[in-house]
Coordinates of all heavy atoms in Angstrom, one line a residue:
M1 N 13.7 -15.3 -68.0 CA 15.1 -14.8 -67.9 C 14.9 -13.3 -67.9 O 14.2 -12.7 -68.8 CB 15.8 -15.4 -69.2 CG 17.3 -15.0 -69.1 SD 18.2 -15.6 -70.6 CE 17.8 -17.3 -70.7
T2 N 15.9 -12.6 -67.0 CA 15.9 -11.2 -66.9 C 16.5 -10.5 -68.2 O 17.3 -11.2 -68.8 CB 16.5 -10.7 -65.7 OG1 17.8 -11.1 -65.8 CG2 15.8 -11.4 -64.5
P3 N 16.2 -9.3 -68.5 CA 16.9 -8.7 -69.7 C 18.3 -8.4 -69.4 O 19.1 -8.6 -70.4 CB 16.2 -7.3 -69.6 CG 14.9 -7.5 -69.1 CD 15.1 -8.6 -68.1
E4 N 18.7 -8.5 -68.1 CA 20.2 -8.3 -67.8 C 21.0 -9.6 -68.2 O 22.0 -9.5 -68.7 CB 20.4 -8.0 -66.3 CG 20.0 -6.6 -65.9 CD 18.5 -6.5 -65.7 OE1 17.7 -7.5 -65.7 OE2 18.1 -5.3 -65.7
V5 N 20.3 -10.7 -68.0 CA 20.8 -11.9 -68.3 C 20.8 -12.1 -69.9 O 21.7 -12.7 -70.5 CB 20.1 -13.2 -67.7 CG1 20.7 -14.5 -68.2 CG2 20.3 -13.1 -66.1
R6 N 19.8 -11.7 -70.4 CA 19.5 -11.9 -72.0 C 20.4 -11.0 -72.7 O 20.9 -11.4 -73.8 CB 18.0 -11.6 -72.3 CG 17.1 -12.8 -71.8 CD 15.7 -12.4 -71.9 NE 15.2 -12.1 -73.3 CZ 14.0 -11.6 -73.5 NH1 13.3 -11.2 -72.5 NH2 13.6 -11.3 -74.7
I7 N 20.8 -9.8 -72.3 CA 21.7 -9.0 -73.0 C 22.9 -8.5 -71.9 O 22.7 -7.4 -71.4 CB 20.9 -7.8 -73.6 CG1 20.0 -8.3 -74.8 CG2 22.1 -6.8 -74.3 CD1 19.5 -7.2 -75.5
P8 N 23.9 -9.2 -71.9 CA 25.0 -8.8 -71.1 C 25.8 -7.8 -71.8 O 25.8 -7.8 -73.0 CB 25.8 -10.2 -70.7 CG 25.6 -11.0 -71.9 CD 24.1 -10.6 -72.3
A9 N 26.6 -7.1 -71.0 CA 27.5 -6.0 -71.8 C 28.6 -6.8 -72.7 O 29.1 -6.1 -73.6 CB 28.2 -5.2 -70.7
T10 N 28.9 -8.0 -72.3 CA 29.8 -8.6 -73.1 C 29.3 -9.4 -74.4 O 29.9 -9.9 -75.2 CB 30.4 -9.9 -72.3 OG1 29.4 -10.7 -71.7 CG2 31.3 -9.3 -71.1
M11 N 28.0 -9.3 -74.6 CA 27.4 -9.8 -75.9 C 27.9 -8.9 -77.1 O 28.0 -7.7 -76.9 CB 25.9 -9.8 -75.7 CG 25.1 -10.4 -76.9 SD 23.4 -10.4 -76.8 CE 23.2 -11.9 -75.9
T12 N 28.0 -9.4 -78.2 CA 28.4 -8.6 -79.3 C 27.1 -7.9 -79.8 O 26.0 -8.4 -79.7 CB 29.1 -9.4 -80.4 OG1 28.2 -10.4 -81.1 CG2 30.2 -10.2 -80.0
V13 N 27.3 -6.9 -80.6 CA 26.2 -6.1 -81.3 C 25.5 -7.1 -82.2 O 24.3 -7.1 -82.2 CB 26.8 -4.8 -81.9 CG1 25.7 -4.3 -82.8 CG2 27.4 -3.9 -80.9
N14 N 26.3 -7.9 -83.1 CA 25.7 -8.7 -84.0 C 24.9 -9.8 -83.3 O 23.7 -10.2 -83.8 CB 26.7 -9.3 -84.9 CG 27.4 -8.4 -85.9 OD1 26.8 -7.4 -86.2 ND2 28.5 -8.6 -86.5
E15 N 25.3 -10.4 -82.2 CA 24.6 -11.4 -81.6 C 23.3 -10.9 -81.0 O 22.2 -11.4 -81.2 CB 25.5 -12.0 -80.5 CG 24.8 -13.2 -79.7 CD 25.7 -13.8 -78.7 OE1 26.6 -13.2 -78.3 OE2 25.4 -14.9 -78.3
A16 N 23.4 -9.6 -80.4 CA 22.0 -9.1 -79.9 C 21.1 -8.8 -80.9 O 19.9 -9.2 -80.8 CB 22.5 -7.7 -79.2
I17 N 21.6 -8.3 -82.2 CA 20.6 -8.1 -83.3 C 20.1 -9.4 -83.8 O 18.9 -9.5 -84.0 CB 21.3 -7.3 -84.4 CG1 21.5 -5.9 -83.9 CG2 20.6 -7.4 -85.6 CD1 22.4 -5.0 -84.8
R18 N 20.9 -10.4 -83.8 CA 20.5 -11.7 -84.4 C 19.4 -12.4 -83.4 O 18.3 -12.9 -83.8 CB 21.7 -12.7 -84.5 CG 21.3 -14.0 -85.1 CD 22.4 -15.1 -85.2 NE 23.2 -15.1 -84.0 CZ 22.9 -15.9 -83.0 NH1 21.8 -16.7 -83.1 NH2 23.8 -16.1 -82.0
L19 N 19.7 -12.3 -82.2 CA 18.8 -12.9 -81.2 C 17.6 -12.0 -81.0 O 16.4 -12.5 -80.6 CB 19.4 -13.1 -79.8 CG 20.5 -14.1 -79.9 CD1 21.3 -14.2 -78.6 CD2 20.0 -15.5 -80.2
Y20 N 17.6 -10.7 -80.9 CA 16.5 -9.9 -80.7 C 16.6 -8.7 -81.8 O 17.0 -7.5 -81.5 CB 16.9 -9.1 -79.2 CG 17.2 -10.3 -78.1 CD1 18.4 -10.3 -77.7 CD2 16.2 -11.1 -77.8 CE1 18.7 -11.3 -76.7 CE2 16.5 -12.1 -76.8 CZ 17.7 -12.2 -76.3 OH 18.0 -13.1 -75.3
P21 N 16.0 -8.9 -82.8 CA 15.9 -7.9 -83.9 C 15.2 -6.5 -83.5 O 15.7 -5.6 -84.1 CB 15.0 -8.6 -84.9 CG 15.1 -10.0 -84.7 CD 15.2 -10.1 -83.2
Q22 N 14.5 -6.6 -82.4 CA 13.9 -5.3 -82.1 C 15.0 -4.3 -81.4 O 14.6 -3.1 -81.1 CB 12.8 -5.6 -81.0 CG 13.2 -6.2 -79.7 CD 13.2 -7.7 -79.7 OE1 13.4 -8.4 -80.7 NE2 12.9 -8.4 -78.5
T23 N 16.2 -4.8 -81.2 CA 17.3 -4.0 -80.6 C 17.9 -3.1 -81.7 O 18.5 -2.1 -81.4 CB 18.3 -4.7 -80.0 OG1 19.0 -5.7 -81.0 CG2 17.8 -5.6 -78.8
I24 N 17.5 -3.3 -83.0 CA 18.2 -2.5 -84.2 C 17.9 -1.0 -84.0 O 18.8 -0.2 -84.1 CB 17.7 -3.1 -85.5 CG1 18.2 -4.5 -85.8 CG2 18.1 -2.0 -86.5 CD1 17.6 -5.2 -87.0
A25 N 16.7 -0.7 -83.5 CA 16.2 0.7 -83.5 C 17.1 1.3 -82.4 O 17.4 2.6 -82.4 CB 14.7 0.8 -83.1
V26 N 17.3 0.5 -81.2 CA 18.1 1.1 -80.1 C 19.5 1.4 -80.6 O 20.1 2.5 -80.3 CB 18.1 0.1 -78.9 CG1 18.9 0.7 -77.9 CG2 16.6 -0.1 -78.5
F27 N 20.1 0.5 -81.2 CA 21.6 0.6 -81.7 C 21.6 1.9 -82.7 O 22.6 2.7 -82.6 CB 22.1 -0.6 -82.4 CG 22.5 -1.7 -81.4 CD1 21.8 -2.9 -81.6 CD2 23.5 -1.6 -80.5 CE1 22.1 -3.9 -80.6 CE2 23.7 -2.4 -79.6 CZ 23.1 -3.7 -79.6
N28 N 20.4 2.0 -83.6 CA 20.5 3.2 -84.5 C 20.4 4.4 -83.7 O 21.1 5.4 -84.0 CB 19.4 3.0 -85.4 CG 19.6 1.9 -86.4 OD1 20.9 1.6 -86.7 ND2 18.5 1.5 -87.1
A29 N 19.4 4.5 -82.7 CA 19.2 5.7 -81.8 C 20.6 6.0 -81.2 O 20.7 7.2 -81.0 CB 18.2 5.4 -80.9
F30 N 21.3 5.2 -80.9 CA 22.8 5.5 -80.1 C 23.9 5.6 -81.1 O 25.0 5.7 -80.6 CB 23.0 4.5 -79.0 CG 22.2 4.6 -77.8 CD1 20.8 4.1 -77.6 CD2 22.8 5.1 -76.7 CE1 20.1 4.3 -76.5 CE2 22.0 5.4 -75.5 CZ 20.8 4.9 -75.3
N31 N 23.5 5.6 -82.3 CA 24.6 5.7 -83.4 C 25.6 4.6 -83.3 O 26.7 4.9 -83.5 CB 25.2 7.1 -83.5 CG 24.1 8.1 -83.8 OD1 23.4 8.0 -84.7 ND2 24.1 9.2 -83.0
I32 N 25.3 3.4 -83.0 CA 26.2 2.3 -82.8 C 26.3 1.6 -84.3 O 25.4 1.3 -84.8 CB 25.7 1.2 -81.8 CG1 25.4 1.9 -80.5 CG2 26.7 0.1 -81.8 CD1 26.8 2.6 -79.8
D33 N 27.6 1.6 -84.6 CA 28.0 0.9 -85.9 C 27.7 -0.6 -85.9 O 28.6 -1.3 -85.3 CB 29.3 1.2 -86.3 CG 29.8 0.6 -87.6 OD1 28.9 0.1 -88.3 OD2 30.9 0.7 -88.0
A34 N 26.5 -0.9 -86.3 CA 26.2 -2.5 -86.3 C 26.6 -3.2 -87.5 O 26.6 -4.4 -87.7 CB 24.7 -2.7 -86.1
C35 N 27.1 -2.5 -88.5 CA 27.6 -3.1 -89.8 C 29.0 -3.6 -89.7 O 29.2 -4.7 -89.3 CB 27.4 -2.1 -91.0 SG 27.7 -2.8 -92.5
C36 N 29.9 -2.7 -89.8 CA 31.4 -3.1 -89.8 C 31.8 -3.3 -88.4 O 32.8 -3.9 -88.1 CB 32.1 -1.9 -90.5 SG 31.7 -1.7 -92.1
G37 N 31.1 -2.7 -87.5 CA 31.5 -2.7 -86.0 C 30.7 -3.6 -85.1 O 30.9 -3.7 -84.0
G38 N 29.9 -4.5 -85.9 CA 29.1 -5.4 -85.1 C 29.6 -6.5 -84.4 O 29.1 -7.1 -83.5
A39 N 30.9 -6.8 -84.6 CA 31.6 -7.9 -84.0 C 32.1 -7.5 -82.5 O 32.5 -8.4 -81.8 CB 32.7 -8.5 -84.7
A40 N 32.0 -6.2 -82.2 CA 32.4 -5.7 -80.8 C 31.4 -6.0 -79.8 O 30.2 -6.0 -80.2 CB 32.7 -4.3 -81.0
M41 N 31.9 -6.2 -78.6 CA 31.0 -6.4 -77.5 C 30.1 -4.9 -77.3 O 30.6 -4.0 -77.7 CB 31.7 -6.6 -76.3 CG 32.3 -8.0 -76.1 SD 33.0 -8.5 -74.5 CE 34.4 -7.4 -74.4
I42 N 29.0 -5.1 -76.8 CA 28.1 -4.0 -76.8 C 28.9 -2.8 -76.0 O 28.8 -1.6 -76.4 CB 26.7 -4.4 -76.1 CG1 26.0 -5.3 -77.0 CG2 25.9 -3.1 -75.8 CD1 24.8 -5.9 -76.3
E43 N 29.4 -3.2 -74.8 CA 30.1 -2.2 -74.1 C 31.2 -1.5 -74.9 O 31.3 -0.3 -74.9 CB 30.6 -2.7 -72.8 CG 31.2 -1.7 -71.8 CD 31.6 -2.2 -70.4 OE1 32.0 -3.5 -70.4 OE2 31.3 -1.6 -69.5
E44 N 32.0 -2.2 -75.6 CA 33.1 -1.6 -76.3 C 32.6 -0.8 -77.6 O 33.1 0.3 -77.8 CB 33.9 -2.7 -77.0 CG 34.7 -3.5 -76.0 CD 35.5 -4.8 -76.5 OE1 35.3 -5.1 -77.6 OE2 36.3 -5.3 -75.8
A45 N 31.5 -1.3 -78.1 CA 30.9 -0.6 -79.2 C 30.5 0.8 -78.8 O 30.5 1.8 -79.5 CB 29.9 -1.4 -79.9
A46 N 29.8 0.8 -77.6 CA 29.2 2.1 -77.0 C 30.4 3.1 -76.9 O 30.3 4.3 -77.3 CB 28.4 1.9 -75.7
L47 N 31.6 2.7 -76.3 CA 32.6 3.5 -75.9 C 33.2 4.0 -77.3 O 33.6 5.2 -77.4 CB 33.7 2.8 -75.1 CG 33.2 2.5 -73.6 CD1 34.2 1.6 -73.0 CD2 32.9 3.9 -72.9
R48 N 33.4 3.0 -78.1 CA 34.0 3.4 -79.5 C 33.1 4.5 -80.3 O 33.7 5.3 -80.9 CB 34.1 2.1 -80.4 CG 34.5 2.2 -81.8 CD 34.2 1.1 -82.7 NE 32.8 0.9 -82.8 CZ 32.1 0.0 -83.0 NH1 32.8 -1.3 -83.0 NH2 30.8 -0.2 -83.1
D49 N 31.9 4.3 -80.1 CA 30.9 5.1 -80.9 C 30.5 6.4 -80.2 O 29.5 7.0 -80.6 CB 29.8 4.4 -81.5 CG 30.3 3.4 -82.6 OD1 31.4 3.5 -83.0 OD2 29.6 2.4 -82.8
G50 N 31.0 6.7 -79.0 CA 30.6 7.8 -78.2 C 29.3 7.8 -77.4 O 28.7 8.7 -77.2
A51 N 28.9 6.5 -77.1 CA 27.6 6.4 -76.4 C 27.9 6.0 -75.0 O 29.0 5.4 -74.6 CB 26.8 5.4 -77.0
D52 N 27.0 6.3 -74.0 CA 27.1 5.9 -72.6 C 26.7 4.3 -72.6 O 25.6 4.1 -72.9 CB 26.1 6.6 -71.7 CG 26.2 6.3 -70.3 OD1 26.8 5.2 -69.9 OD2 25.5 6.9 -69.5
P53 N 27.6 3.5 -72.2 CA 27.4 2.0 -72.2 C 26.3 1.6 -71.3 O 25.4 0.9 -71.7 CB 28.7 1.3 -71.6 CG 29.7 2.4 -71.9 CD 29.1 3.7 -71.9
E54 N 26.1 2.2 -70.2 CA 25.0 2.0 -69.3 C 23.7 2.4 -69.8 O 22.7 1.6 -69.7 CB 25.3 2.6 -67.9 CG 26.5 2.0 -67.1 CD 26.3 0.5 -66.9 OE1 25.1 0.0 -66.5 OE2 27.3 -0.4 -67.1
A55 N 23.7 3.5 -70.5 CA 22.4 4.0 -71.0 C 21.9 3.1 -72.1 O 20.8 2.8 -72.4 CB 22.5 5.4 -71.5
L56 N 22.9 2.7 -73.0 CA 22.6 1.9 -74.1 C 22.1 0.5 -73.7 O 21.0 -0.1 -74.1 CB 24.0 1.6 -75.0 CG 23.9 0.5 -76.1 CD1 22.7 1.0 -77.1 CD2 25.2 0.4 -76.7
L57 N 22.8 -0.1 -72.7 CA 22.4 -1.3 -72.1 C 20.9 -1.3 -71.5 O 20.1 -2.1 -71.7 CB 23.4 -1.9 -71.1 CG 24.6 -2.5 -71.6 CD1 25.7 -2.7 -70.5 CD2 24.3 -3.8 -72.3
A58 N 20.7 -0.2 -70.8 CA 19.4 0.1 -70.1 C 18.3 0.2 -71.3 O 17.3 -0.4 -71.2 CB 19.4 1.4 -69.3
A59 N 18.5 0.8 -72.3 CA 17.6 1.0 -73.4 C 17.4 -0.3 -74.4 O 16.3 -0.7 -74.6 CB 18.2 2.0 -74.5
L60 N 18.5 -1.1 -74.4 CA 18.4 -2.4 -75.0 C 17.5 -3.4 -74.2 O 16.6 -4.1 -74.6 CB 19.7 -3.2 -75.2 CG 20.6 -2.4 -76.3 CD1 22.0 -2.9 -76.2 CD2 20.0 -2.7 -77.6
R61 N 17.7 -3.3 -72.8 CA 16.9 -4.2 -71.9 C 15.6 -3.7 -71.8 O 14.6 -4.6 -71.6 CB 17.7 -4.2 -70.5 CG 19.0 -4.9 -70.7 CD 19.9 -4.7 -69.5 NE 21.1 -5.5 -69.6 CZ 22.2 -5.3 -68.8 NH1 22.2 -4.3 -67.9 NH2 23.3 -5.9 -69.0
A62 N 15.3 -2.4 -72.0 CA 13.9 -1.9 -71.8 C 13.1 -2.5 -73.1 O 11.9 -2.8 -72.9 CB 13.9 -0.4 -71.8
V63 N 13.8 -2.5 -74.3 CA 13.1 -3.0 -75.4 C 12.8 -4.6 -75.2 O 11.6 -4.9 -75.6 CB 13.9 -2.9 -76.6 CG1 13.4 -3.6 -77.8 CG2 14.1 -1.5 -77.0
L64 N 13.6 -5.2 -74.5 CA 13.3 -6.7 -74.2 C 12.1 -6.9 -73.3 O 11.4 -7.9 -73.4 CB 14.5 -7.4 -73.7 CG 15.7 -7.6 -74.8 CD1 16.7 -8.5 -74.1 CD2 15.2 -8.0 -76.1
E65 N 12.0 -6.0 -72.4 CA 10.8 -6.1 -71.5 C 9.5 -5.9 -72.1 O 8.4 -6.2 -71.6 CB 11.0 -5.0 -70.3 CG 12.1 -5.4 -69.4 CD 12.4 -4.4 -68.3 OE1 11.9 -3.3 -68.3 OE2 13.3 -4.7 -67.4
E66 N 9.5 -5.1 -73.3 CA 8.3 -4.8 -74.0 C 7.7 -6.1 -74.8 O 6.6 -6.1 -75.1 CB 8.4 -3.7 -74.9 CG 8.8 -2.4 -74.3 CD 9.1 -1.2 -75.2 OE1 9.2 -1.5 -76.4 OE2 9.6 -0.2 -74.7
V67 N 8.7 -7.0 -75.0 CA 8.3 -8.1 -76.0 C 8.5 -9.4 -75.2 O 9.4 -9.6 -74.4 CB 9.3 -8.1 -77.1 CG1 9.1 -9.4 -78.0 CG2 9.2 -6.9 -77.9
P68 N 7.4 -10.2 -75.2 CA 7.6 -11.5 -74.5 C 8.6 -12.3 -75.0 O 9.1 -12.4 -76.2 CB 6.2 -12.2 -74.8 CG 5.4 -11.2 -75.5 CD 6.2 -10.1 -76.0
S69 N 9.2 -13.0 -74.0 CA 10.4 -13.9 -74.3 C 10.1 -15.2 -75.0 O 8.9 -15.7 -74.9 CB 11.3 -14.1 -73.2 OG 10.6 -14.5 -72.1

């Protein structure tokens, strides 16, 4: 399964962290609120927290490419 399928923009932050704990460092690097704001979709969280949604998704997907599925 490709990283694009594994982490779509519509996945919530909490779901991404639950399924792929290695994404925590990426969310932290982009200053995404994964505690109180973790129920938001990744794209919405990026916009809310001042991050570029495409850059965030690319970084999340890059982390998944480093780890076998």
Side-chain angles (χ1 to χ4, degrees):
M1 186 180 311
T2 67
E4 290 78 15
V5 172
R6 290 167 59 194
I7 297 192
T10 56
M11 178 179 278
T12 67
V13 172
N14 286 341
E15 187 177 12
I17 290 172
R18 182 178 56 80
L19 292 172
Y20 312 109
Q22 64 271 32
T23 61
I24 293 170
V26 176
F27 287 117
N28 288 340
F30 280 81
N31 296 313
I32 301 300
D33 177 8
C35 179
C36 298
M41 290 186 293
I42 293 170
E43 186 173 41
E44 290 174 353
L47 293 171
R48 175 197 66 213
D49 295 338
D52 176 357
E54 290 304 317
L56 174 59
L57 284 165
L60 291 168
R61 292 167 179 164
V63 167
L64 292 187
E65 290 177 354
E66 296 172 5
V67 179
S69 47

